[in-house]
Amino acid sequence: MCGITGYIGKREAYPIVIKGLQRLEYRGYDSAGLMLYNQDETSVFKTKGKVVDLEAIVSEENRHGNICIGHTRWATHGVPNDVNSHPHVSNSGDLTIIHNGIIENYDTIKNELVQRGYQFKSDTDTEVLVNLIEEVQIQEKCPIAKAVQLALNDVIGAYAIAVFDKKEPNKLVAAKLGSPLAIGIGENNEEFFIASDASPFIEYTKNAIYLQDEELAVIEKNTAVEVRKIHDDSSVEPEIHALKLNLAQIEKEGFDHFMLKEIYEQPKAIIDTYRGRLLPNEGIIRMAGVEEYIDRFKSANRIIIIACGTSWHAGLVAEYLFEDLARIPVEVEYASEFRYRNPIITEKDVVIAISQSGETADSLAAIKMAKEAGAYVFGVCNVVGSSIARESHSGAYTHAGPEIGVASTKAFTTQITLLTLIALKLGKEKGNLSNSDFHAYLQNMELIPAKLEKILAQNDLIKEIASGFSDTPSCLFLGRGYNFPVALEGALKLKEISYIHAEGYPAAEMKHGPIALIEDDYPVIVVAINKGHYEKVVSNIQEIKSRKGKIIAVVTEGDVTVKEMADYAIEIPEVDEALSPLLTTIPLQLLSYHVAVLRGCNVDQPRNLAKSVTVE
Ligand code: M6R
């Protein structure tokens, strides 16, 4: 939610920040803005809309200066308009701020500031924060860094901020609690970059500090980064990380959209997930994060899976995996419900938190609660060093690489890959899986990427099928067993990027209500592979057919029965039922992608959404 970036150094700052904002646009795209400092003056440009709209309002002659901070917004407080866009400037005009997060007690602070004569132009919590910092600076007669530190001790909420004070123009002050913030360190400390993730500065430096919660950094040109604790101003020795990210990973590389690129990356992403872990020749699965706590896993009364959105769907697949292969009872919880439900958590529970970004506010709060209740928490995250990864007792990264399209694709299949490895490992350790079954699974897992390539090769066919129902206002996705969560995920993918209303259901539930929707040509996408409850799904398809619905079926290669009934069929290679979600998901991703493109939707940046949801 919201991306922030900034530059201080010797180069023209504007192009660096504009490019950085484009890379961070996945975090929110309701509005964009920046502040440039040049010849003792600050200029602020901001507008409702995207970074391209921002570029259009900054004329060539205004694009100069060596200090710039910029923001791309996902609106929380105040509608998306020019005034509510960031940066925000203090009443004196000296201080400028960009902010990702929420100040929960902004209303109380605002009332106090209003009584002291402060005026506000916007409805945002951020304008309150910058004026609070100004008021502290005036009262304490202190430098900007001290004023930021003192002011932040008065606020409740989450933030990643950068503050610039015209009176101390060689520095930026950055601080973090809850929202991510990286600082890129240029050669000889001559220049510095700040950003919500490292993507805005990877072509300039590979050295970065990831601020930790409750830390504040004073970033001074030609000097160094000084990090301090917000609550007591004590000094912290920052850890400098060598970035592994490269430019190709964050560019489209010839694909029309990031989503399509990321769909196509799945064979490699899955290999990256299981590399070094899945060892069929040795007949083992190696996972340090599980092995370290193997007794907790083996003696668990139950596994509670906490996640949101697509990650929650991966959790539902894991429910089938853990119960089926390892015989451990599983509950899958929406993090937002779990954290407010007064749930029963015991020390015998293992909590698995699944999150691509590792920053989802509800998931983070839920695992903190579970930890306090004594549960052991295992994190499944993609973003290395993210809050959920750090907050978990142990965990494993999916290594999917950056996922920039707002719609999750490779994040989902790599989460399932990782969860399958854990379920197989526990199944073996607990003696629920025979040696031969375990070995067969290891070998079959290794075949998944090649099978996935065969599905991707059907892209043209899937595009043609998409054109057959892209104008529908509504449709259903059905699946059973392991493929019920796949149906849910298929429906989520379609609705979030094409704005077609879609629902996922267990196929057998259809006759308890949704069947009423079916009329001539109503599209129903059915996962009907030859494993699990194939015959029962065939009966469900029959029920749709007799009501003249349009059937788009995902079937196993060589299928005859369903193919004869379906209007369209997409074949996937033969696969174990437990591994099938890794394949059946792909046609549904491609169908949604093509439908959305045909409808002229912004596939990578669907309306009202943001990639990482750092507010509850
Ligand atoms: O980063 P997370 O996995 O915690 O995000 C959770 C959801 O916001 C996310 O999965 C969302 O539903 C997808 N981007 C939708 O495609």
Side-chain angles (χ1 to χ4, degrees):
M1 317 249 98
C2 300
I4 66 172
T5 187
Y7 174 81
I8 181 166
K10 54 194 175 169
R11 306 177 206 242
E12 286 286 9
Y14 174 85
I16 297 171
V17 167
I18 280 289
K19 192 151 31 82
L21 287 177
Q22 280 159 350
R23 290 184 189 160
L24 293 175
E25 230 174 4
Y26 72 90
R27 302 181 65 86
Y29 31 83
D30 287 333
S31 68
L34 56 81
M35 179 229 70
L36 266 159
Y37 178 74
N38 190 27
Q39 297 179 343
D40 303 333
E41 284 307 321
T42 53
S43 322
V44 170
F45 303 91
K46 51 191 198 173
T47 180
K48 177 176 186 243
K50 302 201 168 185
V51 179
V52 285
D53 303 304
L54 174 64
E55 284 182 273
I57 61 163
V58 189
S59 60
E60 286 294 334
E61 68 269 22
N62 283 323
R63 294 182 175 186
H64 302 294
N66 306 126
I67 300 177
C68 184
I69 53 176
H71 187 273
T72 175
R73 177 169 187 245
W74 188 85
T76 54
H77 291 73
V79 293
N81 62 21
D82 297 354
V83 178
N84 288 333
S85 307
H86 297 217
H88 289 282
V89 178
S90 66
N91 274 201
S92 71
D94 284 351
L95 311 190
T96 313
I97 193 171
I98 48 173
H99 170 214
N100 167 28
I102 280 193
I103 306 302
E104 288 169 14
N105 58 339
Y106 83 105
D107 215 20
T108 321
I109 300 171
K110 188 172 183 175
N111 288 339
E112 283 173 24
L113 290 171
V114 167
Q115 279 171 16
R116 290 176 193 214
Y118 281 83
Q119 291 179 344
F120 293 89
K121 297 187 185 119
S122 75
D123 305 320
T124 65
D125 50 342
T126 307
E127 194 186 9
V128 174
L129 179 58
V130 72
N131 282 302
L132 174 66
I133 296 168
E134 177 150 289
E135 176 62 10
V136 171
Q137 198 182 31
I138 293 167
Q139 295 300 328
E140 301 292 325
K141 299 185 181 55
C142 59
I144 184 63
K146 184 70 187 165
V148 173
Q149 184 246 326
L150 291 173
L152 289 179
N153 274 305
D154 281 344
V155 305
I156 300 167
Y159 50 78
I161 56 168
V163 184
F164 176 73
D165 182 357
K166 218 157 76 168
K167 303 186 292 307
E168 298 176 55
N170 279 333
K171 63 177 73 146
L172 290 173
V173 179
K176 161 185 159 54
L177 177 65
S179 307
L181 192 59
I183 302 171
I185 304 163
E187 234 171 80
N188 306 322
N189 287 330
E190 281 175 345
E191 58 182 356
F192 297 98
F193 309 79
I194 56 157
S196 302
D197 67 40
S199 63
F201 54 78
I202 45 166
E203 59 263 63
Y204 304 106
T205 179
K206 291 284 181 212
N207 295 325
I209 295 169
Y210 288 96
L211 273 197
Q212 304 298 307
D213 277 349
E214 301 196 357
E215 285 181 357
L216 175 147
V218 185
I219 303 159
E220 194 161 351
K221 193 158 48 165
N222 293 323
T223 310
V225 179
E226 191 191 321
V227 180
R228 312 192 74 82
K229 281 275 172 208
I230 292 168
H231 74 279
D232 62 2
D233 209 18
S234 58
S235 175
V236 175
E237 191 56 51
E239 192 183 336
I240 298 180
H241 296 261
L243 297 174
K244 296 207 178 87
L245 194 67
N246 62 53
L247 259 188
Q249 286 178 297
I250 57 163
E251 284 177 351
K252 286 192 205 142
E253 293 186 301
F255 285 92
D256 289 342
H257 298 95
F258 281 111
M259 182 181 176
L260 190 60
K261 178 188 175 211
E262 287 155 8
I263 290 173
Y264 271 82
E265 279 174 347
Q266 288 176 107
K268 176 177 178 301
I270 288 174
I271 293 172
D272 289 344
T273 305
Y274 69 51
R275 180 176 295 115
R277 293 167 170 157
L278 175 75
L279 303 166
N281 291 339
E282 295 170 42
I284 55 170
I285 290 172
R286 187 179 290 149
M287 296 186 81
V290 176
E291 281 148 21
E292 203 185 332
Y293 287 88
I294 195 71
D295 292 338
R296 294 289 295 251
F297 273 106
K298 280 169 73 177
S299 62
N301 278 348
R302 61 176 176 168
I303 292 175
I304 304 172
I305 297 181
I306 291 171
C308 303
T310 290
S311 298
W312 185 77
H313 295 155
L316 289 179
V317 174
E319 180 177 20
Y320 287 85
L321 288 163
F322 284 117
E323 296 200 344
D324 201 6
L325 305 176
R327 304 303 294 150
I328 304 174
V330 177
E331 283 170 31
V332 188
E333 300 271 3
Y334 282 119
S336 54
E337 288 299 311
F338 181 77
R339 64 181 285 204
Y340 287 116
R341 209 192 52 226
N342 193 13
I344 297 158
I345 311 166
T346 73
E347 290 174 6
K348 296 286 282 176
D349 290 328
V350 166
V351 169
I352 300 182
I354 309 173
S355 174
Q356 187 285 131
S357 63
E359 302 293 339
T360 301
D362 282 319
S363 304
L364 187 57
I367 63 168
K368 284 182 180 165
M369 196 170 100
K371 266 174 86 178
E372 272 164 28
Y376 154 66
V377 177
F378 185 91
V380 174
C381 298
N382 186 33
V383 177
V384 176
S386 54
S387 301
I388 292 172
R390 285 201 315 270
E391 194 65 42
S392 306
H393 291 110
S394 73
Y397 288 113
T398 51
H399 299 304
E403 190 180 67
I404 293 167
V406 164
S408 274
T409 50
K410 62 177 180 171
F412 181 64
T413 44
T414 54
Q415 286 165 347
I416 295 174
T417 302
L418 196 71
L419 292 158
T420 307
L421 293 180
I422 301 173
L424 286 170
K425 186 172 177 66
L426 294 179
K428 180 72 180 15
E429 292 273 349
K430 292 191 74 183
N432 296 112
L433 272 176
S434 68
N435 266 342
S436 61
D437 284 352
F438 181 69
H439 285 272
Y441 273 123
L442 299 196
Q443 270 150 14
N444 291 344
M445 266 307 268
E446 212 179 23
L447 300 177
I448 291 290
K451 293 185 177 179
L452 210 150
E453 296 280 9
K454 284 183 87 175
I455 302 171
L456 292 172
Q458 298 176 66
N459 183 40
D460 288 345
L461 166 72
I462 296 173
K463 185 174 174 183
E464 199 185 308
I465 297 173
S467 68
F469 73 104
S470 63
D471 55 355
T472 185
S474 166
C475 71
L476 279 177
F477 286 76
L478 304 178
R480 287 186 84 132
Y482 280 92
N483 285 296
F484 157 53
V486 171
L488 293 180
E489 175 60 9
L492 173 63
K493 235 40 348 149
L494 187 71
K495 74 183 127 193
E496 73 177 319
I497 62 169
S498 74
Y499 318 138
I500 293 174
H501 176 252
E503 298 287 344
Y505 271 95
E509 273 294 304
M510 195 186 54
K511 51 183 141 338
H512 299 285
I515 200 164
L517 290 170
I518 294 173
E519 53 185 353
D520 280 12
D521 278 345
Y522 183 91
V524 185
I525 294 101
V526 193
V527 180
I529 58 164
N530 65 359
K531 298 280 164 24
H533 309 282
Y534 177 73
E535 279 79 21
K536 295 195 188 300
V537 177
V538 169
S539 308
N540 298 139
I541 292 175
Q542 202 59 262
E543 291 155 9
I544 303 163
K545 204 170 162 55
S546 52
R547 287 157 183 88
K548 300 201 169 57
K550 182 185 281 181
I551 294 152
I552 299 138
V554 175
V555 299
T556 312
E557 271 168 7
D559 180 280
V560 177
T561 316
V562 175
K563 272 178 104 174
E564 270 174 10
M565 288 191 281
D567 295 78
Y568 306 103
I570 305 162
E571 291 188 333
I572 65 154
E574 187 75 47
V575 65
D576 298 313
E577 194 192 6
L579 305 183
S580 65
L582 291 167
L583 300 187
T584 50
T585 301
I586 314 305
L588 307 194
Q589 293 172 343
L590 283 169
L591 276 175
S592 299
Y593 170 78
H594 289 301
V595 167
V597 171
L598 288 164
R599 289 165 71 94
C601 299
N602 187 337
V603 173
D604 285 334
Q605 296 175 346
R607 70 183 175 212
N608 304 337
L609 289 172
K611 184 76 183 162
S612 60
V613 184
T614 54
V615 294
E616 60 172 294

